Amino acid sequence: FTSTTTRHARISSSLLSMTEQSSSSTDINAKHNKHDSSRHGNQQEHKQLSTSSSSTNSASIRKLATLALAASLLWMPVSYPQPSHAAGYGSLTPEQKFVAEAWREVDSAYLDRTFNGQDWFQLRQDAVSKKYKTFEEAQTAVAEMMSKLGDKYTKYLSPAKYQSLVDSATGTLAGIGVEIATNKDQIPIVSDVEPGSPAQKAGLLPNDVFLESDGVKFGKESTPDDVALKLRGPQGSKVGVTVLRGQETKDFIIQREPIKVTSVRSYMKNKVGVIRIKNFSATTGATVKETLAELKKKGAKTILFDLRSNPGGLLPGGTETASLFLKANQPIVFVVSNKGVVDAQETFSDGVDTETPIVILVDHNTASAAEVFTAALKENGRAKVVGEQVRGGSFGHFCYFMTADCLSDMLVL
């Protein structure tokens, strides 16, 4: 912008200079004519007319020059610097670019535009301007930047933590075999123990409150995922776990083993087929479909879904399972972005069972995809809901991959 203005100013300045030269020349001619008036009587009138004409031309040129300057300032092209240029993006190190990309992903998708009262742009400036000796330092900076948002569900996952999340979603992982939820004080607890798992063999029980794992303490600010990420690890490795049972603190050293997560269990009680879903994964819909057929063969007249302590899981797992019990063209969920863009999802065809009565049992730990499943069946008049008030988390959590580390880093929003 400055260089463009200077160029146009120089052009206009040259025009003004030309008018000044023209004016000076006119004044000299006028004096010369006056001096010779006694010898050139008849020519004096002609010279005065010439001088008057020159003065008029001079004034016209001045006006034209002024107009040229104004026009140049008014119509000159304004070139705004691109964000990458403004931040010197090309001169950033790979670590600084990684931090900048993390900031940009959160800035584009985060719902709370107050950013927890933080000066969000200053945070970026501070983080990007730092000199990082290692990539691990940049990862730590991103994690610290996310923590300032005060949102325990917005976090940075390193490649190792991301892989642990993938293993959980696909149903195969190495861990101790516990299901984790939160109590009414929002502190992570053991909500269930897998039969025959290392946790059961070690003596962990439902309702044990997690206090610590390998030196990392847990509290109200911790999520079930935080605990799970510490409990999972390489097969055969050991993990220390400290829990509170009643008023007594208990310590365990448990060896991690491959755990096949059984997210769907079922049984018959009188004429009611009970389907217990611990969390929704990519295979939940298919498993529920098979389980439903088996229960109906056993004479089930009503289906009870037990979603207590179901933290959710994969949203597609919840919507696909709900569609098994809905007719075609019925709404399942509306996802609204921070920019107000609505993604409406509905069924494409009739489900496998649109008639059998359904009851859904929930509690305060029923959340996320489990809430979507519950609401889809309830709002479409397909099921009755009983139990406690659900968690009420109406925010979907999405993963954003970071290109700076071979697409293996991830932000969860």
Side-chain angles (χ1 to χ4, degrees):
F1 182 89
T2 303
S3 62
T4 306
T5 304
T6 302
R7 183 176 69 253
H8 284 275
R10 285 175 178 169
I11 294 172
S12 299
S13 177
S14 298
L15 289 172
L16 287 173
S17 178
M18 290 171 61
T19 63
E20 289 173 357
Q21 292 175 5
S22 175
S23 177
S24 297
S25 177
T26 300
D27 292 341
I28 292 173
N29 289 337
K31 290 179 181 179
H32 180 72
N33 291 339
K34 184 177 181 181
H35 179 72
D36 293 340
S37 62
S38 59
R39 291 187 301 166
H40 305 280
N42 293 332
Q43 295 179 3
Q44 183 176 11
E45 183 178 356
H46 175 74
K47 291 294 184 180
Q48 288 176 345
L49 290 173
S50 176
T51 300
S52 177
S53 176
S54 299
S55 299
T56 301
N57 291 338
S58 174
S60 299
I61 294 176
R62 281 180 176 274
K63 290 180 179 179
L64 288 174
T66 302
L67 290 173
L69 175 59
S72 66
L73 293 175
L74 180 62
W75 296 106
M76 67 183 181
V78 179
S79 178
Y80 294 102
Q82 297 299 315
S84 60
H85 297 159
Y89 190 81
S91 62
L92 298 180
T93 65
E95 292 79 10
Q96 290 171 325
K97 289 181 179 179
F98 173 75
V99 173
E101 183 180 357
W103 180 93
R104 185 175 64 250
E105 292 289 0
V106 176
D107 181 65
S108 65
Y110 201 65
L111 184 65
D112 178 14
R113 304 313 293 175
T114 69
F115 296 98
N116 195 34
Q118 301 291 316
D119 188 337
W120 186 236
F121 287 89
Q122 187 60 48
L123 285 178
R124 178 196 184 280
Q125 183 66 22
D126 294 342
V128 173
S129 62
K130 288 182 180 179
K131 301 298 182 182
Y132 301 101
K133 296 180 181 179
T134 64
F135 201 82
E136 286 71 22
E137 289 185 2
Q139 291 176 314
T140 300
V142 170
E144 291 176 351
M145 186 164 54
M146 299 301 103
S147 68
K148 293 184 182 297
L149 294 173
D151 179 6
K152 63 183 181 180
Y153 294 106
T154 297
K155 63 186 70 177
Y156 163 72
L157 298 183
S158 66
K161 290 182 177 180
Y162 167 64
Q163 186 58 50
S164 179
L165 183 66
V166 170
D167 292 340
S168 175
T170 55
T172 58
L173 53 90
I176 65 173
V178 294
E179 181 182 332
I180 307 168
T182 57
N183 58 19
K184 293 185 177 180
D185 295 325
Q186 298 301 307
I187 300 176
I189 64 170
V190 177
S191 61
D192 198 7
V193 180
E194 285 284 328
S197 65
Q200 185 186 55
K201 295 174 183 177
L204 282 177
L205 298 176
N207 296 317
D208 283 347
V209 179
F210 286 102
L211 298 179
E212 185 177 341
S213 177
D214 281 353
V216 176
K217 298 183 182 300
F218 305 117
K220 290 184 178 181
E221 73 285 352
S222 304
T223 67
D225 283 341
D226 293 331
V227 179
L229 289 172
K230 291 300 298 181
L231 299 183
R232 298 168 189 150
Q235 179 181 347
S237 62
K238 295 182 179 181
V239 60
V241 180
T242 301
V243 300
L244 180 65
R245 183 177 297 168
Q247 300 298 319
E248 185 180 1
T249 299
K250 290 185 172 290
D251 296 309
F252 300 89
I253 300 295
I254 307 175
Q255 180 171 310
R256 298 181 178 99
E257 298 295 341
I259 304 296
K260 180 63 177 178
V261 179
T262 307
S263 63
V264 180
R265 297 176 183 172
S266 66
Y267 60 92
M268 286 288 297
K269 190 170 184 179
N270 298 325
K271 293 293 183 178
V272 178
V274 180
I275 301 177
R276 165 83 168 125
I277 304 178
K278 300 175 69 173
N279 68 279
F280 288 92
S281 68
T283 61
T284 300
T287 304
V288 168
K289 183 177 180 180
E290 295 175 359
T291 302
L292 176 66
E294 293 174 359
L295 291 174
K296 294 180 76 171
K297 286 181 180 179
K298 295 178 181 179
K301 301 299 182 182
T302 300
I303 299 297
L304 171 66
F305 282 101
D306 186 354
L307 301 186
R308 290 175 297 177
S309 295
N310 184 322
L314 295 181
L315 178 60
T319 57
E320 180 182 348
T321 305
S323 67
L324 296 174
F325 305 95
L326 298 174
K327 294 183 178 180
N329 303 316
Q330 289 190 300
I332 300 179
V333 65
F334 297 91
V335 179
V336 184
S337 74
N338 65 334
K339 297 178 177 60
V341 178
V342 179
D343 176 19
Q345 299 180 26
E346 60 181 27
T347 57
F348 294 106
S349 59
D350 290 349
V352 296
D353 186 345
T354 61
E355 300 295 336
T356 303
I358 296 175
V359 178
I360 304 176
L361 178 60
V362 298
D363 66 4
H364 66 280
N365 279 315
T366 303
S368 191
E371 291 176 289
V372 171
F373 172 86
T374 302
L377 296 189
K378 178 180 181 296
E379 296 301 321
N380 283 295
R382 188 66 185 87
K384 294 182 179 180
V385 180
V386 297
E388 301 176 350
Q389 177 70 43
V390 297
R391 186 181 299 175
S394 59
F395 296 97
H397 302 134
F398 299 90
C399 303
Y400 296 86
F401 293 95
M402 311 296 293
T403 60
D405 191 27
C406 301
L407 295 176
S408 58
D409 291 86
M410 186 176 69
L411 290 168
V412 178
L413 300 177

